[in-house]
Amino acid sequence: MNYDQAFDREDTRAIREMLSGSGYSDKAIEYYLNRPNMGSLPDANQVTELTGRCGDTMKVYLKLEHGRIEDAKFQVLGCPGAVASAMAAVDIIKGKTIEEARTIKDRDIFRVLGELPDQKQHCIRLAVKTLLKALDGHVGSNDLDPEGG
Ligand code: FES
């Protein structure tokens, strides 16, 4: 193990402890650290961005085919709650029809994450609203969410 690997491991442990102590579940921490659905989709046919009142921004890329979500990714400029919520949202909606995905609720994401600090519940809201906005087909760029994230 070289110095960088040792440092990374120590760093990750410290982040894990910090998040766990703040009220994030292990699942939410995994999403935050591993970011399985983070990035862009070059063949997306729906790209929508939303900024919460907190200043965090999410951009969702959807690849829609025959009324179904074939693939999805999020880019997130935001807190651990925002990253975890966006990653969970993708896992929930991937493979679903647009109509099915439209029924996504905050509690669906919360159920996947298990636990999030109380003051981070609005991060789930921002992920849901970004997704619903995308599904409604409102292509946005840097729109400010009037109700906050
Ligand atoms: Fe803004 Fe988490 S603090 S989405």
Side-chain angles (χ1 to χ4, degrees):
M1 189 187 343
N2 63 30
Y3 174 81
D4 283 345
Q5 287 169 327
F7 181 79
D8 283 350
R9 194 175 292 179
E10 200 44 50
D11 227 23
T12 303
R13 190 180 309 143
I15 292 169
R16 229 177 247 286
E17 279 175 16
M18 209 186 283
L19 291 172
S20 179
S22 308
Y24 287 87
S25 67
D26 288 347
K27 180 79 178 172
I29 294 170
E30 287 311 315
Y31 270 131
Y32 174 64
L33 292 174
N34 297 326
R35 305 171 182 222
N37 304 314
M38 184 74 87
S40 60
L41 288 176
D43 54 353
N45 40 23
Q46 179 70 51
V47 180
T48 299
E49 186 173 314
L50 193 63
T51 298
R53 217 185 311 172
C54 61
D56 287 358
T57 297
M58 293 190 187
K59 192 173 194 175
V60 66
Y61 295 79
L62 299 177
K63 185 181 174 198
L64 305 167
E65 254 173 42
H66 310 299
R68 198 170 282 278
I69 299 169
E70 291 295 319
D71 205 358
K73 294 260 186 218
F74 264 93
Q75 284 181 330
V76 181
L77 275 177
C79 72
V83 173
S85 299
M87 300 300 98
V90 171
D91 280 346
I92 291 169
I93 55 124
K94 209 149 56 160
K96 288 207 160 64
T97 65
I98 292 174
E99 288 315 310
E100 287 166 345
R102 252 191 242 275
T103 66
I104 190 171
K105 300 277 186 293
D106 294 15
R107 63 174 175 269
D108 299 323
I109 293 183
F110 188 78
R111 211 172 286 140
V112 170
L113 295 179
E115 211 183 328
L116 219 55
D118 285 347
Q119 68 273 24
K120 291 294 171 184
Q121 303 294 328
H122 75 274
C123 313
I124 292 178
R125 190 92 272 271
L126 183 60
V128 169
K129 290 176 90 168
T130 305
L131 190 58
L132 292 178
K133 185 179 174 194
L135 293 171
D136 282 347
H138 301 299
V139 179
S141 79
N142 249 341
D143 294 345
L144 188 66
D145 174 7
E147 294 171 36

